[in-house]
């Protein structure tokens, strides 16, 4: 089991990564002095696979099962959880355990942040994206009609337990999409992690638990390094937006239907690679390496009829300002540059190149 320690304004917490953690979740909590009365929350899909067995093992009541899907990451579910917790007599000294993907960990973490002004929680991420990204860093929240993650809190968990064995049941498309964040992490702080992603791509079926654990732990380590440098997102944390400026616009421009998040990020990475090459920030070898990595998670839904104008509209709308105010993260030979401006013509040109490539 890999163990990383994250420092946060609420105190340090460990991130454990390994195969089989769910099978010994009771002992894991005992070892971390988190064996307390509590409530386990999962969703309809994940609960039968991992939530219910974990609740049994922890001798907790059966899980509260949220509906599955990003569209349920909403206030209404927070209210429902808090009401159920009150009903169940959950006190401020008790514990909430969230078992699921990023939707579950974001929502449950947020409910934990506001329930009785804050209760401890444990994240048990079950998607690759939640393991390497959503469950680490302390951000929790829900969506509004006006946009994603507009209501939230910094409320780090007391423990993150990422059981890579859970990835075996994950939909392949979700797995590949999560790998986009691993590629991003590699570029931000651990370039040779790309070798491991390449090994997965070359032979996914023989990519064993040990290598999965290493892949997740090294990605987490990069996020931890970035987040610790800047918990409240003023500077360095922006680096995590590599590939995301355009990625978010692509998702929004297609009504969040066409692309899974990581797929849009992969297109976003391809775009900033090209912009950096044109600006002389990224040499041919580095550009080829990073660009190749985005092909390892193919097939990606094509850009197709997504027009540059619609994407530009969403780039600006998202930030509520003109394009000049949108700051991009651009890849360089040894990392990233923050706060870069990209003009509309560059965006149009790159999108056309990508659509016809
Ligand atoms: N807090 C943060 O810092 C942060 C960072 C990145 C993303 N996020 C959030 O994470 C969310 C996306 O998370 P996600 O990609 O994990 O999506 P998700 O939670 O919707 O999970 C994807 C799908 O996989 C299913 N699933 C989960 N684990 C499974 C397993 N082991 N086996 C089979 N099926 C499984 C889920 O039920 C769901 O249908 C978004 O809401 C995003 O805003 C938060
Ligand atoms: Zn992302």
């Amino acid at each position: 089991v890999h163990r990383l320690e994250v420092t946060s304004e609420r105190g340090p917490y460990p991130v454990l990564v390994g195969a089989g953690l769910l099978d010994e979740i009771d002992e894991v909590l005992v070892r971390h002095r988190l064996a307390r009365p509590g409530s386990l929350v999962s969703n309809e899909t994940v609960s039968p696979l991992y939530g219910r067995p974990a609740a049994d093992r922890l001798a907790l009541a059966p899980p509260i099962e949220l509906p599955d899907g990003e569209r349920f990451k909403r206030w209404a579910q927070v209210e429902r959880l808090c009401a159920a917790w009150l009903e169940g007599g959950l006190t401020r000294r008790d514990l909430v355990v969230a078992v699921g993907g990023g939707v579950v960990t974001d929502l449950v973490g947020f409910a934990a942040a506001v329930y009785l002004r804050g209760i401890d929680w444990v994240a048990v991420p079950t998607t690759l994206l939640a393991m390497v990204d959503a469950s680490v860093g302390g951000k929790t929240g829900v969506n509004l009609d006006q946009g994603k993650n507009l209501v939230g809190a910094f409320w780090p968990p007391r423990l993150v337990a990422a059981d890579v064995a859970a990835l075996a049941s994950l939909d392949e498309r979700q797995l590949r999409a999560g790998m986009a964040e691993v590629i991003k992490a590699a570029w931000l702080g651990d370039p040779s992690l790309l070798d491991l992603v390449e090994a997965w791509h070359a032979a996914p079926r023989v990519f064993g638990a040990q290598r999965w654990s290493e892949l997740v732990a090294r990605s987490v380590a990069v996020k931890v390094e970035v987040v610790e440098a800047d918990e409240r997102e003023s500077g360095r944390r922006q680096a995590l937006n590599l590939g995301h400026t355009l990625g978010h616009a692509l998702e929004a421009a297609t009504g969040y239907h066409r692309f899974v998040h990581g797929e849009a990020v992969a297109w976003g990475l391809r775009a900033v690679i090209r912009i950096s090459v044109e600006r002389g920030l990224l040499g041919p070898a580095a550009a080829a390496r990073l660009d190749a990595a985005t092909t390892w998670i193919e097939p990606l839904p094509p850009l197709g009829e997504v027009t540059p104008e619609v994407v530009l509209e969403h780039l600006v709308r998202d930030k509520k300002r003109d394009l000049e105010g949108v700051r991009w993260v651009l890849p360089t030979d040894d990392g990233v540059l923050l706060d870069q401006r990209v003009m509309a013509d560059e965006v149009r040109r790159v999108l056309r190149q990508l659509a016809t490539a």
Side-chain angles (χ1 to χ4, degrees):
V1 175
H2 297 255
R3 186 180 201 282
L4 296 98
E5 184 99 349
V6 189
T7 59
S8 82
E9 19 181 83
R10 270 193 87 214
Y13 62 96
V15 178
L16 309 179
V17 182
L21 287 169
L22 273 161
D23 297 329
E24 47 161 22
I25 192 71
D26 46 342
E27 289 150 47
V28 170
L29 292 196
V30 167
R31 258 182 262 132
H32 291 86
R33 297 168 206 272
L34 290 165
R36 311 183 199 157
S39 167
L40 192 143
V41 184
S42 189
N43 76 15
E44 291 158 352
T45 307
V46 178
S47 186
L49 297 169
Y50 309 109
R52 288 177 208 163
D56 278 349
R57 200 168 283 283
L58 291 166
L60 298 176
I64 301 174
E65 295 173 355
L66 300 166
D68 187 357
E70 181 76 38
R71 70 182 183 284
F72 298 110
K73 201 175 107 175
R74 306 283 290 199
W75 275 115
Q77 299 300 326
V78 175
E79 183 160 356
R80 176 184 155 208
L81 280 182
C82 292
W85 290 339
L86 274 178
E87 197 73 24
L90 202 70
T91 76
R92 288 200 60 189
R93 284 172 302 281
D94 299 341
L95 185 76
V96 170
V97 181
V99 180
V103 168
V104 170
T105 55
D106 270 19
L107 177 84
V108 175
F110 180 58
V114 295
Y115 181 70
L116 302 177
R117 296 194 188 78
I119 176 173
D120 287 345
W121 71 292
V122 167
V124 184
T126 59
T127 64
L128 181 57
L129 182 126
M131 291 179 190
V132 303
D133 196 351
S135 68
V136 179
K139 282 196 196 176
T140 69
V142 294
N143 304 328
L144 296 181
D145 287 341
Q146 289 84 350
K148 288 179 64 172
N149 302 321
L150 290 177
V151 173
F154 281 92
W155 194 249
R158 289 297 179 197
L159 169 77
V160 179
D163 185 348
V164 295
L167 297 175
S169 58
L170 188 63
D171 178 70
E172 202 211 277
R173 185 176 176 194
Q174 293 286 348
L175 190 77
R176 286 189 278 106
M179 207 58 91
E181 306 286 359
V182 175
I183 293 166
K184 177 191 82 177
W187 208 260
L188 294 186
D190 186 357
S192 67
L193 177 53
L194 286 185
D195 299 339
L196 206 53
V197 181
E198 188 168 24
W200 160 79
H201 164 70
R205 260 162 271 285
V206 298
F207 201 75
Q210 225 168 354
R211 290 207 284 176
W212 272 116
S213 300
E214 185 189 339
L215 181 138
V216 170
R218 286 171 66 178
S219 305
V220 170
V222 172
K223 177 145 190 196
V224 168
E225 181 269 318
V226 171
V227 165
E228 280 184 346
D230 179 19
E231 197 176 23
R232 291 274 178 173
E233 191 156 7
S234 38
R236 171 82 175 131
R237 193 164 179 155
Q238 285 175 28
L240 298 170
N241 282 328
L242 179 65
H244 281 60
T245 309
L246 193 75
H248 285 145
L250 282 173
E251 286 183 278
T254 50
Y256 296 93
H257 292 307
R258 186 182 186 89
F259 304 102
V260 176
H261 174 70
E263 294 170 342
V265 170
W267 279 116
L269 284 171
R270 288 176 177 178
V272 290
I273 292 166
R274 278 157 184 76
I275 292 169
S276 283
V277 169
E278 283 180 8
R279 294 183 178 195
L281 296 170
L282 193 63
R289 180 82 179 135
L290 188 52
D291 207 44
T294 71
T295 67
W296 302 335
I297 56 180
E298 285 178 340
L300 300 174
L303 292 180
E305 73 290 356
V306 190
T307 66
E309 295 318 312
V310 177
V311 176
L312 280 167
E313 225 170 82
H314 281 276
L315 262 175
V316 172
R317 183 178 308 172
D318 192 37
K319 301 294 176 221
K320 293 186 182 50
R321 49 188 150 169
D322 56 14
L323 196 61
E324 297 227 345
V326 179
R327 296 307 160 94
W328 296 60
V329 182
L330 295 181
T332 65
D333 280 334
D334 55 1
V336 292
L337 272 182
L338 305 180
D339 275 333
Q340 301 302 298
R341 286 188 188 174
V342 176
M343 295 300 126
D345 277 344
E346 275 178 291
V347 176
R348 286 193 195 97
R349 185 151 25 97
V350 161
L351 280 171
R352 275 195 220 100
Q353 281 174 14
L354 288 175
T356 56

